[in-house]
Structure formats: C-alpha cells, structure tokens
Amino acid sequence: MTTTDEFAQLGAPLESSSSPALKFEVLAKCSTTKARASRMHLPHYTAHTPMFMPVGTMGTIKGITTAQLRTLDCHVILGNTYHLGSQPGPELLEKAGGLHKFMAWDRGLLTDSGGFQMVSLLKLANITEDGVEFENPHNGKMMMLTPEMSIGLQNSIGADIMMQLDDVVSSLTTGPRVEEAMWRSLRWLDRGIKAHKRPTEQNLFPIVQGGLDERLRTISAQELTKRESPGYAIGGLSGGEAKGSFWRMVSLSTDILPTNKPRYCMGVGYAEDLVVCSALGVDMYDCVFPTRTARFGNALVRTGSMALRQGKYKNDFTPIDSECECSTCKNFTRAYLHTTVTKETTGCHLVTVHNIAFQMRLMRDIRQAIVEDRYPQFVRSFIKTRFGKTVPQWIVDALKSVNIDLTAPGADGYFATTVDEDFQKHPNV
C-alpha cells in the first residue's frame, strides 16, 4: 500500500512551481480531460496528487492511530483550527513543537481557517469587517476570530498548508451578500498574508469564493492568482447546491487558476465526485464522509455503500471487498462486522480502516490511469461499475465538458442513459 515509486519511471516535470515551502511538479496529463498527476513537495512529506485527505478534527481520526494512517499510505491529513485552538490550545501546541510532534505524525498536515465552524456550529455568529464574532461554547462569552488570529493559531499548529479565513456563506445564498463575502474574503486574505509569520515553513492557500455566480467566481479566481500563492482552494461548495451547479463552478475555477500549482476542492469525498473532479483538473480533496459513515456501519465499495447493519450480512463470511488489501478485509468477514458495527467500537474502527483504504486505493487508481493516459477508459469503467446503465445527469454533463461522452457506446458497448438525480440512492448490484 505504498505510492513511493509510482512516478519513478516518469521524466522531467511538464510544468512546475516553487515556493519557499512547496514545490509542485506536474508529471503527467490526460490527453483528453483536464486531469493531471503531480508530485507536491511539502516540508514534512512529498505527496502525490490527485489525493484525498482524511479529516482529523482534533488532531486524530477517530479510532485510528498515526501508525495505521502511514500503513494506509495517507499523505496528508486535516486538522481543524477552531477545535485545536480551543483544545489543546496554541500554547500547549507550541510547547509540544507543533501538531506534527504532538500527534506523532511525520507526513503532511493541512489546517482549515476555523471560519466554517464559526458560522455553521456556533450560536450568535456575527460577521463584520474585523472578523467573525461568536459565542464561546465553553464559557458563553463573546469572542472574535480575525484573519490575523486564524493565521496565528495555524502558525502555532504548524501545518504544512494553512487556509485563509474567508467570509463563509451558504452555497444556496444568492444576492448581494454573496458578492460582499467574496470581496471581504479577498481583503481578509491580504490581512492573513501580512500576518503570516512562517512563510518559509508553512504555505497559505487562498480560497475561491463567489457562490454559484459565474461572474463572481471568475473575479475571485482572477484576483487570487494575482497574489502568487503556492496553491489555491475552491471553496463555498458541497453545501447542498445542485450538483449541476457544483461541477460548473469547479470547472470554471480550474480553467482560471494557474496550471502549475495545486488546486484543492474543499469538502469533497464521494467516490464519483473524486473521479469527476479529477477529470475537471482538481488535485486535492478532503471530507469527513468516509470516516463518519464508517461509524454508522457503512463500508465503501466501488458499487456504492454497503450497509453492514442489514440482516442479509448476518451469515456472509466474505470480506467487504475481496480485492481490498486492508487489514480489515484480510482478517474479518461481513458477518463479524455486521455483529459489531454500531454496537462495538471495534466495528467502527475496522470499517474506518477499510473506508480510508478504499479512498487511498481509488486515488492511486486515478493517478495510475492518468500516468498511463487511459483516464477516459478508467472513468467509463468506474461509472459503469458504480451506476450501471442509469447515470445522474450532472455526471454525464460534467464529463462531456471534458470530452468523455458516456452516452456514446464505448469499446465494450457500454453507454449510459441519464437520470435526473444528484446522488446514488442504492448500490449498483
């Protein structure tokens, strides 16, 4: 389960960029889509993209040790600035020498800014030009998170990649509030850049905003490219908007952002989203979904999600996935997992291991298909396995925009008919 040598046979980069704390090398490009395979040199690790980053909110992924994450070949994991800033707090993290040492993790770390949690989780959040005012859930006092404070916290945490504090609005919001948030996020970015105390050790990524408005997204992406950042994030999506709007905003952003720097689509983790967005030119993803759904007894497989709680698995003595090499699939049956999931922490742990392994394997397969310039064939095979004959319209439209026409018969005779649904309701069996 290692990717150490997966790019060993490739020659010089097709294009690259260098910053004090990040070197990005595009090593292979799909000749049909916007997909690319790259190497990203970070202070603590050299990651391969496209990659998925599991979310460890409090400096830990529930039920998983950092040794297991290394075995699963996770390159970068996420920490949450708001939660880490509350506990253990910046003072303790600085004494520990940063989050890497505190949690015994020697690979990449990315921290979000804390802004999303301010708005989505806390009471009485009030956004002003100064920052986000909110009620501290621990003592009830009003507090303020400013762009400078967010960067200060992230400097204490010491992650390889930090995110700017942005003015977060729901992806369903329309009207002048969206434009206000977009321009304010740019001003907050400039304040964050000035406050960044460790530019040779940590990378600050700005975030493309603008809601579902093409004009505002275009302005945001164009303005961000003027800042010469080491990489860029695409934010404000995966918030309940129609998937048809989602993919168009992603593709618009990747069309504008520099081709020689990494692009990170925030909050994306469904397998079909990873495959489609990689075709649209995205390099990095994160989401709580794979680990959160594991705690409800749901195992990820190529055909969808396997609800191990269901009685049909009571006497099923096969592994979750016979082709998966994770320790769960090598040692435990669906019947055993059916008995333990949602009842015992062991069951949650075992399914979490598998789900992370599933994501890592999918990303390796994506990278390999790009390197071998057979990504369109990989996509068609994946979609056929995932959905069968009926495929959500947004997937067909998104892939057609990068020259993969699922409605035209392929070499194996497979073609898709569209269905007006955003998500898969049942696994393809």
Side-chain angles (χ1 to χ4, degrees), residues 347-399:
C348 296
H349 166 84
L350 293 173
V351 180
T352 299
V353 167
H354 167 77
N355 283 0
I356 294 176
F358 173 87
Q359 298 289 95
M360 298 302 111
R361 178 183 167 200
L362 174 61
M363 302 315 295
R364 284 194 299 273
D365 289 348
I366 288 173
R367 291 192 296 267
Q368 185 177 1
I370 296 169
V371 166
E372 297 173 359
D373 201 15
R374 53 175 181 80
Y375 195 58
Q377 296 92 321
F378 170 83
V379 171
R380 293 183 70 92
S381 175
F382 172 87
I383 295 297
K384 178 182 178 181
T385 300
R386 188 77 167 180
F387 295 100
K389 291 286 290 182
T390 55
V391 178
Q393 182 74 53
W394 76 270
I395 292 178
V396 173
D397 292 342
L399 293 173

Side-chain angles (χ1 to χ4, degrees), residues 59-354:
T60 178
I61 294 174
K62 289 183 175 63
I64 302 292
T65 67
T66 51
Q68 288 175 305
L69 290 172
R70 278 189 290 272
T71 299
L72 291 166
D73 204 31
C74 296
H75 292 192
V76 180
I77 60 175
L78 261 70
N80 180 277
T81 296
Y82 164 71
H83 291 290
L84 290 167
S86 300
Q87 188 178 359
E91 295 83 7
L92 185 58
L93 286 171
E94 287 181 358
K95 288 181 181 178
L99 184 58
H100 280 93
K101 291 184 177 179
F102 191 63
M103 64 182 293
W105 176 246
D106 56 2
R107 297 189 176 190
L109 275 174
L110 184 152
T111 45
D112 62 10
S113 66
F116 178 77
Q117 284 71 32
M118 297 294 104
V119 176
S120 64
L121 300 180
L122 303 178
K123 296 179 180 179
L124 303 177
N126 180 40
I127 299 174
T128 68
E129 190 62 29
D130 291 335
V132 183
E133 187 179 30
F134 62 97
E135 181 181 300
N136 188 314
H138 301 291
N139 57 25
K141 294 181 179 179
M142 296 304 295
M143 298 183 65
M144 173 73 75
L145 179 70
T146 67
E148 294 81 4
M149 291 172 60
S150 174
I151 295 300
L153 287 170
Q154 293 183 80
N155 281 156
S156 297
I157 293 168
D160 299 78
I161 299 173
M162 313 184 300
M163 305 308 301
Q164 73 154 111
L165 182 66
D166 53 346
D167 184 352
V168 180
V169 295
S170 166
S171 59
L172 304 179
T173 301
T174 58
R177 176 71 182 98
V178 180
E179 182 161 7
E180 175 192 51
M182 186 272 290
W183 287 112
R184 179 175 286 145
S185 294
L186 285 168
R187 293 191 294 272
W188 283 3
L189 169 62
D190 291 334
R191 288 168 57 185
I193 291 172
K194 291 179 181 178
H196 186 11
K197 296 293 193 292
R198 302 175 64 185
T200 63
E201 303 167 273
Q202 294 177 273
N203 301 283
L204 175 56
F205 279 23
I207 304 173
V208 178
Q209 290 289 358
L212 305 180
D213 187 306
E214 291 187 7
R215 180 184 68 87
L216 296 180
R217 283 265 165 191
T218 299
I219 293 172
S220 178
Q222 290 173 339
E223 287 291 327
L224 294 188
T225 60
K226 298 176 183 178
R227 270 68 176 181
E228 287 296 322
S229 298
Y232 300 88
I234 302 167
L237 299 173
S238 299
E241 73 279 359
K243 299 292 276 190
S245 299
F246 161 79
W247 80 259
R248 287 180 171 85
M249 295 302 101
V250 170
S251 191
L252 181 152
S253 301
T254 60
D255 280 343
I256 297 170
L257 295 173
T259 58
N260 64 339
K261 295 185 178 181
R263 305 142 169 179
Y264 162 34
C265 195
M266 306 176 75
V268 169
Y270 293 147
E272 57 267 32
D273 292 4
L274 300 175
V275 170
V276 170
C277 288
S278 293
L280 299 178
V282 175
D283 305 298
M284 303 163 59
Y285 310 92
D286 82 285
C287 191
V288 298
F289 167 70
T291 48
R292 178 175 290 170
T293 199
R295 297 194 290 276
F296 290 93
N298 299 314
L300 304 181
V301 291
R302 287 291 171 100
T303 54
S305 182
M306 181 182 294
L308 292 164
R309 306 177 309 280
Q310 294 179 355
K312 64 181 179 180
Y313 297 113
K314 182 178 181 180
N315 296 300
D316 188 340
F317 295 98
T318 61
I320 295 172
D321 182 349
S322 60
E323 296 182 2
C324 180
E325 296 181 355
C326 78
S327 57
T328 299
C329 288
K330 283 183 175 180
N331 296 291
F332 299 95
T333 66
R334 297 175 183 181
Y336 176 77
L337 295 168
H338 167 77
T339 304
T340 59
V341 294
T342 73
K343 302 181 187 75
E344 303 288 344
T345 56
T346 300
C348 296
H349 166 84
L350 293 173
V351 180
T352 299
V353 167
H354 167 77

